[in-house]
């Protein structure tokens, strides 16, 4: 693996999931693989699980880790030919090359603006590092993708499923803020690559990118969609066509025990209790959000392991 920017960078997703599950049984079996190698983690946005799980994964492989919050350094310029006489103090060409001298792998977390869909979909920051850095890049969540979370989700379902082809429902949930599409996008992509029956449910006018949801059944009736589900993944996303807008805060879409039935409940966290999902679900026997969060470490570890093998 030369980089991990999207789900498509995994050549064999099913094999990689099984690799991660086996690695989980003995996380320190490759503790010398990353000896004298350094992971540089760049955070343009706040992080809890991603930061801690990725750092733990790297250290378990024997890597050194450096963390930089971008708010603590210069504003970067990404456009070519710009006269840099305003607020931007350093160009990505120099920054990416310099950081590549300090680390053997660079991991980046950058959220979308949610104001300019076309610009967000270019993934300018992430792809600029891919272009100008001389070391592998790992996506710790970008404007349109969260491939580490998606891999952890697939690991969780593979571990906990009780049938060979479970029914998995991705349901929109209410939220007071406009949120990105990254988690939903990557979850859909990876579910298409494993043995599940995927169904998406959301209110009308909350469609995701049709290039991503293509060939996936979509229902606007949440209760009907959740019937006989084995796994239910709740996630909010803002409007795609009227980009970044909140056009529905329908509280009836909150996940409840009654709707969930015997399905296992999934969420990427953080989650707003009694807005996205009621306490009874999160605290109940069918919630697997903690196991899901734990698998973030092994998703990151298998990715870093496969990248280190190519260095």
């Amino acid at each position: 693996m030369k980089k991990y920017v999207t789900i498509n960078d995994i050549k064999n997703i099913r094999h990689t999931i099984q690799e991660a599950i086996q690695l989980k049984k003995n996380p320190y079996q490759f503790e010398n693989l990353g000896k004298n190698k350094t992971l540089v983690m760049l955070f343009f946005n706040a992080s809890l699980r991603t930061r801690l799980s990725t750092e733990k994964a790297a250290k378990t492989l024997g890597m050194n880790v450096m963390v930089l919050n971008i708010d603590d350094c210069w504003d970067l310029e990404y456009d070519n030919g710009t006269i840099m006489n305003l607020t931007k103090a350093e160009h990505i060409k120099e920054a990416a090359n310099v950081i590549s001298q300090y680390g053997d792998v660079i991991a980046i977390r950058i959220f979308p603006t949610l104001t300019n869909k076309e610009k967000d979909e270019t993934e300018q920051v992430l792809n600029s590092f891919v272009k100008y850095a001389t070391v592998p890049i790992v996506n710790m969540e970008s404007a349109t993708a969260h491939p580490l979370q998606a891999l952890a989700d697939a690991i969780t379902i593979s571990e906990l499923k009780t049938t060979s082809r479970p029914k998995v429902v991705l349901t929109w949930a209410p939220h007071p803020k406009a949120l990105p599409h990254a988690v939903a996008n990557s979850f859909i992509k990876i579910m298409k690559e494993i043995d599940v029956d995927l169904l998406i449910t959301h209110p009308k006018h909350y469609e995701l990118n049709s290039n991503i949801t293509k060939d996936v059944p979509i229902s606007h009736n949440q209760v009907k969609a959740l019937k006989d589900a084995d796994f239910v993944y709740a996630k909010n996303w803002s409007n795609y066509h009227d980009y970044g807008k909140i056009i529905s805060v329908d509280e009836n879409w909150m996940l409840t025990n009654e709707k969930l039935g015997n399905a296992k409940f999934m969420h990427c966290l953080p989650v707003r209790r009694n807005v996205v999902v009621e306490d009874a679900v999160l605290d109940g026997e069918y919630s697997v959000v903690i196991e899901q969060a734990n698998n973030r470490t092994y998703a990151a570890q298998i990715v870093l392991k496969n990248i280190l093998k190519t260095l």
Side-chain angles (χ1 to χ4, degrees):
M1 186 182 290
K2 300 293 186 180
K3 59 180 171 53
Y4 190 54
V5 175
T6 73
I7 294 297
N8 298 333
D9 289 319
I10 302 178
K11 291 183 179 179
N12 188 325
I13 287 175
R14 297 182 191 188
H15 175 72
T16 301
I17 291 169
Q18 292 307 313
E19 269 194 304
I21 291 172
Q22 291 304 311
L23 182 62
K24 186 176 179 179
K25 296 176 182 178
N26 181 10
Y28 291 95
Q29 59 188 294
F30 300 103
E31 60 184 338
N32 293 317
L33 184 63
K35 185 178 180 181
N36 298 327
K37 302 294 184 183
T38 299
L39 172 68
V40 177
M41 302 169 67
L42 305 179
F43 289 94
F44 290 77
N45 302 96
S47 176
L48 190 156
R49 276 150 296 278
T50 298
R51 176 168 178 170
L52 296 178
S53 63
T54 306
E55 182 169 350
K56 179 182 178 182
K59 289 181 174 178
T60 303
L61 292 167
M63 299 184 76
N64 300 310
V65 179
M66 294 193 294
V67 178
L68 177 64
N69 295 317
I70 297 299
D71 285 346
D72 295 334
C73 75
W74 316 115
D75 284 342
L76 298 178
E77 176 61 64
Y78 298 93
D79 293 329
N80 288 323
T82 302
I83 298 173
M84 293 173 56
N85 60 355
L86 296 174
T87 60
K88 305 295 178 67
E90 184 163 4
H91 200 280
I92 184 62
K93 290 182 179 181
E94 288 77 51
N97 267 281
V98 167
I99 297 169
S100 299
Q101 310 308 302
Y102 304 148
D104 300 279
V105 181
I106 300 173
I108 300 165
R109 182 176 177 91
I110 175 74
F111 289 168
T113 64
L114 286 180
T115 58
N116 186 325
K117 179 167 64 175
E118 289 72 25
K119 186 171 183 179
D120 284 345
E121 290 186 336
T122 67
E123 295 280 13
Q124 184 183 42
V125 174
L126 182 68
N127 286 330
S128 293
F129 275 96
V130 171
K131 181 177 181 179
Y132 295 115
T134 58
V135 300
I137 300 297
V138 173
N139 181 354
M140 296 191 296
E141 189 172 4
S142 62
T144 65
H146 200 344
L148 285 176
Q149 178 66 56
L151 183 53
D153 298 336
I155 292 167
T156 304
I157 289 173
S158 297
E159 284 184 311
L160 300 178
K161 67 181 182 179
T162 57
T163 181
S164 60
R165 192 174 177 85
K167 177 181 177 181
V168 177
V169 180
L170 172 64
T171 178
W172 181 93
H175 199 283
K177 294 175 61 179
L179 296 185
H181 307 105
V183 170
N185 287 346
S186 292
F187 182 74
I188 293 165
K189 285 184 177 182
I190 205 164
M191 289 299 105
K192 286 183 175 183
E193 300 296 326
I194 64 175
D195 288 326
V196 302
D197 286 323
L198 177 64
L199 174 64
I200 302 170
T201 183
H202 59 72
K204 290 182 178 180
H205 311 300
Y206 263 93
E207 290 75 15
L208 291 157
N209 186 337
S210 60
N211 292 325
I212 294 173
T213 61
K214 182 180 179 181
D215 299 326
V216 179
I218 297 173
S219 171
H220 300 308
N221 185 325
Q222 187 191 42
V223 173
K224 184 177 179 180
L226 295 179
K227 189 175 186 302
D228 298 324
D230 296 293
F231 294 88
V232 175
Y233 199 126
K235 186 71 183 81
N236 175 269
W237 55 85
S238 55
N239 191 279
Y240 181 74
H241 296 292
D242 193 5
Y243 189 62
K245 305 298 183 188
I246 299 175
I247 58 172
S248 175
V249 288
D250 190 347
E251 295 178 0
N252 292 323
W253 280 76
M254 181 180 74
L255 255 292
T256 64
N257 259 337
E258 182 180 0
K259 293 180 188 177
L260 189 67
N262 295 327
K264 292 178 174 63
F265 175 75
M266 301 179 69
H267 192 282
C268 59
L269 303 181
V271 63
R272 298 204 179 208
R273 285 174 173 261
N274 303 308
V275 176
V276 172
V277 56
E278 69 176 359
D279 284 338
V281 172
L282 277 172
D283 298 330
E285 61 179 309
Y286 297 118
S287 175
V288 299
V289 297
I290 303 303
E291 293 95 323
Q292 195 180 348
N294 185 44
N295 280 332
R296 289 296 307 277
T297 296
Y298 307 106
Q301 191 175 356
I302 200 63
V303 166
L304 291 172
K305 169 183 171 286
N306 288 333
I307 287 175
L308 285 169
K309 286 167 61 178
T310 68
L311 299 181

